[in-house]
Structure formats: structure tokens, C-alpha cells
Amino acid sequence: MADREQPVTLRTRKFIRNPLLGRKQMVVDVLHPSRPNVSKDELRSKLAELYKANKDSVSVFGFRTQYGGGKSTGFALIYDSNEVMKKFEPHYRLVRYGQATKIEKASRQQRKQRKNRSKTVRGTAKTKGVEKKKK
């Protein structure tokens, strides 16, 4: 809790208004000299306050802390509305922000094994032809 009370400065640069996607996009520099880093949730609320937007329509990602600490740089998107955000934002980021549910599926390895097993079943008719060639 003591970390949240430490001062954090947000600076935005390369600000672009993107009307086709219904959003404002920018590079965000976060100065946090007395903290190791700042949570994305806190950054979303601070950016929403700064740009007079709803916190649910703000997306932040790609933050990297500079060597030596004290400064992080990342990217932010502020959508005009939640509907526009749900339309254009990638599903995995919507899941991060709690605006969509994660699609549960088998692991990648299990899916590949299932695919290859189905190949052998499908190819039973072909094996008869192969056996004839062998004789």
C-alpha cells in the first residue's frame, strides 16, 4: 500500500486521434523514481482521469522498464466507448480487463496429437492400397 502513495508522473507523446478505430493512441512515459514499477490497473485509472474517459475504455500494454529503473515506456489506447473497444481490441486484452471470458480449449500439444490420431483413422482405406503395393 505504501507504494501507491509514492508519486508517479505520466507523460504522453506521439499522440494520435484515430477516428476510423474510434480511439486516441499514444506512447506513455511513466516516471516512478521511488517505485520498482506501476501496475497497469493504476495506469489505466490515471490515464482515464487525465483524458476524462471511462477506465473500462482504456487499454495499456507493452510496458518496459528502463535499465536502472525509475522510468517505464509503453503504449495506451483510449477508446470512445466500450462498444468500440470490444469491436477492435484483441480478445486476449479484453480478457485481461475482465470484459470478455477466456475460451477454454485443450493445450496446443493435445490438439496436435488429436489431429494426428484422426489422420491414422481417416487413412484406413489408404493402408489397404499400400499393403497391395508391398506384396
Side-chain angles (χ1 to χ4, degrees):
M1 273 296 167
D3 271 355
R4 283 192 166 248
E5 294 161 6
Q6 298 293 336
V8 171
T9 307
L10 293 180
R11 288 201 182 121
T12 59
R13 54 190 173 90
K14 295 187 180 178
F15 182 92
I16 297 172
R17 174 82 187 93
N18 191 338
L20 289 175
L21 297 177
R23 69 187 184 195
K24 302 172 190 113
Q25 46 195 61
M26 66 205 80
V27 174
V28 181
D29 292 327
V30 186
L31 302 172
H32 47 92
S34 54
R35 294 169 63 164
N37 58 17
V38 186
S39 71
K40 287 182 190 166
D41 192 51
E42 190 179 342
L43 289 173
R44 285 176 67 207
S45 57
K46 284 188 181 287
L47 279 168
E49 184 184 311
L50 197 66
Y51 284 94
K52 297 175 181 67
N54 187 3
K55 181 186 170 187
D56 291 334
S57 62
V58 177
S59 173
V60 294
F61 57 94
F63 279 87
R64 290 277 171 259
T65 307
Q66 278 190 356
Y67 179 73
K71 184 180 179 185
S72 300
T73 304
F75 206 72
L77 305 171
I78 301 173
Y79 287 90
D80 296 341
S81 66
N82 275 355
E83 293 77 38
V84 179
M85 184 173 182
K86 285 182 180 164
K87 185 177 177 186
F88 292 116
E89 195 72 359
H91 191 264
Y92 74 93
R93 275 196 229 137
L94 291 174
V95 170
R96 273 184 197 170
Y97 304 136
Q99 295 181 5
T101 54
K102 186 176 182 188
I103 300 166
E104 292 297 326
K105 54 186 176 184
S107 72
R108 185 176 169 91
Q109 187 175 6
Q110 285 175 336
R111 289 190 311 237
K112 288 182 176 203
Q113 287 171 347
R114 191 180 305 129
K115 173 196 61 122
N116 289 330
R117 259 187 261 120
S118 69
K119 276 186 191 173
T120 60
V121 173
R122 224 179 257 135
T124 50
K126 291 179 188 173
T127 56
K128 290 176 186 171
V130 173
E131 286 173 18
K132 288 179 187 174
K133 286 182 181 178
K134 286 181 182 176
K135 290 179 183 176

